[in-house]
Amino acid sequence: MTAMAHEPLTQADVLLEGFLALDTPEGFRAELIEGEIVVTPPPDGDHEDYIGLVLNQVIRRSRTDMQFSGNKGLKLKRGGACPKNHAIPDGTFAPAERRLFRGADPWMPCEGVALVVEVTSSKPQADREAKRRCYAQGGIPLYLLIDRDASSVTLFSDPEGDDYREHCTRPFGKTVALPEPFAFDLETADFL
């Protein structure tokens, strides 16, 4: 019997293996973003309120019925400089007819996701920059960033390479147009 030759593990492979083996405390989230393991504590009530406000509007007003997950791990492996990113968006929406979450592994591919939502918290720069790049690299069509420090909402769209080509930032209190498959204006007055 001949021994099979194994390619040596790269530093990125070792990091990914270590990341996937993490046992984080209950309520904490561990993500692998641009080669860094990021662990965040459970969100505060205001953070969850913003997610609830978006979710309620999507359920009531979206042209397409949507599935929602507030804790779905996404493998963002479409290419780019960081092919092994693993993120857990604060909110993930996908067309309900696809039943994307049913039977999915804890870390599922991002194909079919229509929108991810992040609310800034303990590491706002990661949401504004690193996660934006990762979601664009994964080809996620829409990224909604609720920036509590800036009191604004930004919708990033048209991913290409490491970033989104389009973005629209509106202050809290103004509407943000969500394109198809949602096709409605997201109200942000209750964010104030």
Side-chain angles (χ1 to χ4, degrees):
M1 185 170 188
T2 59
M4 293 183 67
H6 294 288
E7 292 184 30
L9 291 177
T10 66
Q11 184 175 358
D13 292 330
V14 171
L15 179 63
L16 179 60
E17 279 186 26
F19 165 73
L20 292 173
L22 283 176
D23 185 20
T24 55
E26 187 174 337
F28 282 71
R29 289 184 177 185
E31 301 171 289
L32 180 59
I33 305 294
E34 295 188 335
E36 179 182 346
I37 295 174
V38 179
V39 178
T40 54
D44 62 32
D46 289 347
H47 181 281
E48 294 303 280
D49 186 58
Y50 288 117
I51 295 298
L53 291 168
V54 172
L55 175 59
N56 288 339
Q57 289 186 60
V58 169
I59 289 170
R60 288 192 328 264
R61 302 177 65 202
S62 179
R63 180 170 291 166
T64 303
D65 287 340
M66 290 286 163
Q67 278 186 302
F68 171 81
S69 176
N71 200 28
K72 189 72 205 113
L74 299 178
K75 291 189 284 189
L76 303 164
K77 288 186 166 189
R78 200 175 120 194
C82 306
K84 295 188 180 179
N85 291 311
H86 286 63
I88 304 172
D90 294 327
T92 303
F93 290 92
E97 66 185 19
R98 301 205 50 195
R99 300 190 74 139
L100 198 63
F101 305 130
R102 177 167 286 193
D105 291 331
W107 293 100
M108 68 177 231
C110 57
E111 288 80 13
V113 169
L115 168 76
V116 291
V117 181
E118 293 287 357
V119 178
T120 57
S121 52
S122 59
K123 296 187 181 253
Q125 280 308 109
D127 295 328
R128 293 179 191 127
E129 296 174 16
K131 281 192 162 183
R132 185 189 77 232
R133 290 189 295 270
C134 292
Y135 295 144
Q137 289 167 3
I140 295 175
L142 301 169
Y143 171 35
L144 185 71
L145 174 64
I146 301 169
D147 193 322
R148 297 193 286 181
D149 296 333
S151 297
S152 67
V153 179
T154 301
L155 179 67
F156 296 94
S157 59
D158 197 14
E160 184 177 281
D162 292 347
D163 211 345
Y164 288 90
R165 293 191 303 181
E166 302 286 331
H167 71 276
C168 174
T169 301
R170 308 287 287 163
F172 286 175
K174 301 289 184 183
T175 62
V176 175
L178 294 181
E180 291 288 346
F182 300 92
F184 75 92
D185 290 341
L186 180 74
E187 301 287 340
T188 68
D190 287 342
F191 292 9
L192 293 168

